Amino acid sequence: MPSVGIVVGDGKKEYPGKLTLYVTVTCIVAAMGGLIFGYDIGISGGVTTMDSFQQKFFPSVYEKQKKDHVSNQYCRFDSVSLTLFTSSLYLAALCSSIVASYVTRKFGRKISMLLGGVLFCAGALLNGFATAVWMLIVGRLLLGFGIGFTNQSVPLYLSEMAPYKFRGALNIGFQLSITIGILIANVLNFFFSKISGWGWRLSLGGAVVPALIITVGSLILPDTPNSMIERGQFKLAETKLRKIRGVDDVDDEINDLIAASEASKLVEHPWRNLLQRKYRPHLTMAILIPAFQQLTGINVIMFYAPVLFQTIGFGSDAALMSAVVTGLVNVGATAVSIYGVDKWGRRFLFLEGGFQMLISQVAVAAAIGAKFGVDGNPGVLPKWYAIVVVLFICIYVAAFAWSWGPLGWLVPSEIFPLEIRSAAQSITVSMNMIFTFLIAQVFLMMLCHLKFGLFIFFAFFVVVMSIFVYFFLPETRGVPIEEMKQVWRSHWYWSKFVDARRT
């Protein structure tokens, strides 16, 4: 079916529509799916520093840090079982995201969100009532299954519901809810750590609350017109699109959605089709963007922030409070991204954020190296030193929060054509979880061996990813999601893979 939308001067198509209250509220509710991911990132690092939690499940770590205060500070928390507790979730998320691809495509985005919420709720309850390490691990696996489903479906849902002119801002609502989840978790950790003996149960069990929010939310949300068309519900999709866009004239957009759906039905094996030459740029971005997002080192900072701050000389309470400060910065900077992503563009935020992260990582490495050296014994740490380290970490977190944090989810979710969208998004989530798992699993060991050089390690990858963005990532601001192929056709490099004759 031919598309006859309004064509503006640069060849991009425009569809009539406005940002309605209905779609705004819908996207806010859907974005709450990020709360469960953020809450888990924030809660894990704080819980692992609580004495009562360590004594019950990881006594060797507790004894190691209590008995020898002058040993190598870099290696205080080096424990395979402790890191497995944190990182096991991401293996589960990796596996479930593949299943979620099928569910999202065949049954709709909201069903996938519902399953994610239910699984996360079950994992939170098991962790809250845990009496043995195996219960912790099984609970973490259930949490991971839930995150795999929500991280696969929520970004797609937001990109499909939002008017293309506001797609960036509404999609970043997902990342904003992640940062809010992290902040809430850090604040709760600070207060629950003062409850002797069982405060950790409240921290872990508290994950039930964000799980219930997305579970109930998914029951009241409408499905996207794209998903309805994909399942043959054309009339319902047209009615829903009119309500979402706030106008009656949606013929051009609905025609393009139907055309995209008909094309997608010709694709019997979307996973296999991802290997076709014309999908080379999409596959490249699905792999590299989430990998680079984790290689910034952000999750190391966020879910190990209390551990890291204790390592550089903060007391337990001060460490948790410093994590709260970084959480506040994270939320504030993500709000900056919501304002600027559709105003300044994706590439500008990627490149500015990369430069800012590079400077701050080098500064943190220099500060820690100057005091701790290679033996990890800093002696007495002055207050000004701790403030300087926290300041540069906050500068780093801010840079990530308005660049690679939200854009690492936004850009992949908006560039995939409908016929490969669910499969490609699963690859994005899988790569994110693979690298999150690997970094979470080896971070404490790397800190022990690389010492302050760990920050140089991540700074190197920030340089690599910034170069990649500069040369290979086209600007996608203001392009309707079903017209994204024009972006690739006009790119200096990707046009050789994606051209009019081959698509």
Side-chain angles (χ1 to χ4, degrees):
M1 190 174 293
S3 46
V4 290
I6 303 167
V7 178
V8 293
D10 58 2
K12 296 176 184 176
K13 188 176 294 184
E14 289 190 339
Y15 300 120
K18 54 190 177 183
L19 183 61
T20 62
L21 178 63
Y22 177 76
V23 79
T24 302
V25 172
T26 298
C27 287
I28 289 173
V29 173
M32 292 298 102
L35 278 178
I36 63 175
F37 192 27
Y39 186 88
D40 180 80
I41 291 173
I43 217 72
S44 302
V47 165
T48 54
T49 65
M50 294 183 187
D51 289 348
S52 57
F53 180 79
Q54 290 181 7
Q55 283 178 294
K56 186 171 184 63
F57 298 108
F58 306 100
S60 61
V61 176
Y62 178 77
E63 292 170 8
K64 183 177 180 180
Q65 66 159 324
K66 292 299 179 184
K67 286 184 178 179
D68 193 355
H69 291 285
V70 295
S71 64
N72 190 332
Q73 294 292 303
Y74 292 121
C75 302
R76 287 177 68 190
F77 296 95
D78 187 15
S79 166
V80 173
S81 57
L82 186 62
T83 51
L84 183 61
F85 161 73
T86 300
S87 58
S88 57
L89 175 147
Y90 302 102
L91 278 183
L94 162 65
C95 297
S96 69
S97 66
I98 297 172
V99 178
S101 168
Y102 176 82
V103 173
T104 302
R105 182 178 175 121
K106 293 296 182 183
F107 303 104
R109 283 54 167 154
K110 60 179 291 181
I111 295 298
S112 191
M113 285 187 267
L114 175 63
L115 287 173
V118 170
L119 288 166
F120 196 89
C121 188
L125 289 172
L126 191 57
N127 273 351
F129 291 105
T131 56
V133 173
W134 71 265
M135 293 180 70
L136 284 179
I137 301 301
V138 172
R140 294 287 291 171
L141 292 175
L142 287 171
L143 294 176
F145 290 144
I147 285 174
F149 274 94
T150 54
N151 283 17
Q152 205 277 343
S153 54
V154 171
L156 288 186
Y157 184 95
L158 295 172
S159 286
E160 291 178 348
M161 288 292 284
Y164 70 94
K165 290 182 179 179
F166 305 99
R167 187 177 61 240
L170 291 176
N171 191 288
I172 290 176
F174 177 66
Q175 177 67 17
L176 180 63
S177 69
I178 291 177
T179 63
I180 291 172
I182 293 172
L183 175 60
I184 291 172
N186 287 333
V187 172
L188 292 179
N189 273 338
F190 179 74
F191 289 105
F192 290 156
S193 65
K194 301 181 184 302
I195 301 176
S196 178
W198 55 279
W200 61 269
R201 292 191 184 277
L202 295 176
S203 290
L204 294 179
V208 168
V209 176
L212 288 176
I213 291 174
I214 189 60
T215 300
V216 174
S218 66
L219 292 174
I220 62 176
L221 288 173
D223 219 334
T224 68
N226 310 61
S227 181
M228 292 174 183
I229 290 171
E230 204 169 18
R231 290 175 286 130
Q233 301 170 346
F234 300 112
K235 286 294 182 184
L236 184 60
E238 186 173 355
T239 302
K240 186 60 64 178
L241 188 61
R242 285 196 177 97
K243 186 173 183 180
I244 291 169
R245 298 293 179 253
V247 296
D248 291 329
D249 181 16
V250 296
D251 292 346
D252 296 337
E253 186 170 4
I254 201 74
N255 287 343
D256 281 354
L257 293 177
I258 292 173
S261 177
E262 293 300 323
S264 73
K265 289 176 182 176
L266 300 176
V267 179
E268 296 181 3
H269 306 286
W271 291 94
R272 190 185 304 166
N273 275 273
L274 271 170
L275 300 177
Q276 290 183 14
R277 178 182 174 86
K278 65 180 179 178
Y279 298 129
R280 194 69 48 82
H282 311 84
L283 183 60
T284 301
M285 299 303 165
I287 292 172
L288 290 184
I289 287 180
F292 283 149
Q293 186 191 51
Q294 295 311 308
L295 286 170
T296 60
I298 186 61
N299 275 352
V300 167
I301 297 293
M302 297 315 294
F303 58 55
Y304 285 123
V307 173
L308 185 63
F309 287 130
Q310 265 192 271
T311 297
I312 60 175
F314 288 73
S316 181
D317 274 359
L320 287 170
M321 197 63 228
S322 298
V324 170
V325 171
T326 58
L328 283 168
V329 171
N330 201 10
V331 172
T334 303
V336 172
S337 185
I338 289 176
Y339 170 78
V341 66
D342 292 314
K343 187 180 181 70
W344 305 321
R346 282 67 161 154
R347 281 171 52 86
F348 172 81
L349 289 176
F350 266 130
L351 295 172
E352 191 285 331
F355 177 76
Q356 189 171 320
M357 283 191 290
L358 175 64
I359 298 300
S360 53
Q361 282 171 325
V362 171
V364 170
I368 294 179
K371 274 293 182 182
F372 287 79
V374 294
D375 62 0
N377 188 0
V380 178
L381 290 171
K383 186 176 182 180
W384 67 263
Y385 167 83
I387 292 173
V388 167
V389 173
V390 172
L391 176 63
F392 276 109
I393 286 179
C394 286
I395 292 172
Y396 162 81
V397 169
F400 176 86
W402 61 51
S403 61
W404 280 92
L407 301 182
W409 294 107
L410 166 62
V411 173
S413 72
E414 67 183 1
I415 63 173
F416 304 135
L418 186 62
E419 63 267 22
I420 62 166
R421 191 169 294 159
S422 292
Q425 182 68 10
S426 285
I427 289 180
T428 297
V429 175
S430 296
M431 291 302 299
N432 189 289
M433 296 305 153
I434 287 172
F435 277 85
T436 303
F437 169 79
L438 291 174
I439 292 173
Q441 191 63 29
V442 303
F443 164 66
L444 292 176
M445 181 178 66
M446 290 175 70
L447 180 62
C448 185
H449 292 86
L450 291 180
K451 304 173 175 56
F452 61 88
L454 179 62
F455 294 93
I456 301 298
F457 171 84
F458 288 121
F460 166 77
F461 282 102
V462 169
V463 173
V464 172
M465 64 186 73
S466 297
I467 293 172
F468 173 80
V469 166
Y470 184 81
F471 287 105
F472 296 105
L473 182 67
E475 181 57 65
T476 56
R477 176 186 57 173
V479 182
I481 195 168
E482 302 302 344
E483 292 296 312
M484 203 63 70
K485 57 183 177 290
Q486 300 296 339
V487 171
W488 305 111
R489 286 175 181 168
S490 60
H491 190 266
W492 74 272
Y493 179 76
W494 298 120
S495 58
K496 69 178 73 173
F497 299 96
V498 181
D499 59 52
R501 293 166 302 176
R502 305 185 78 95
T503 58

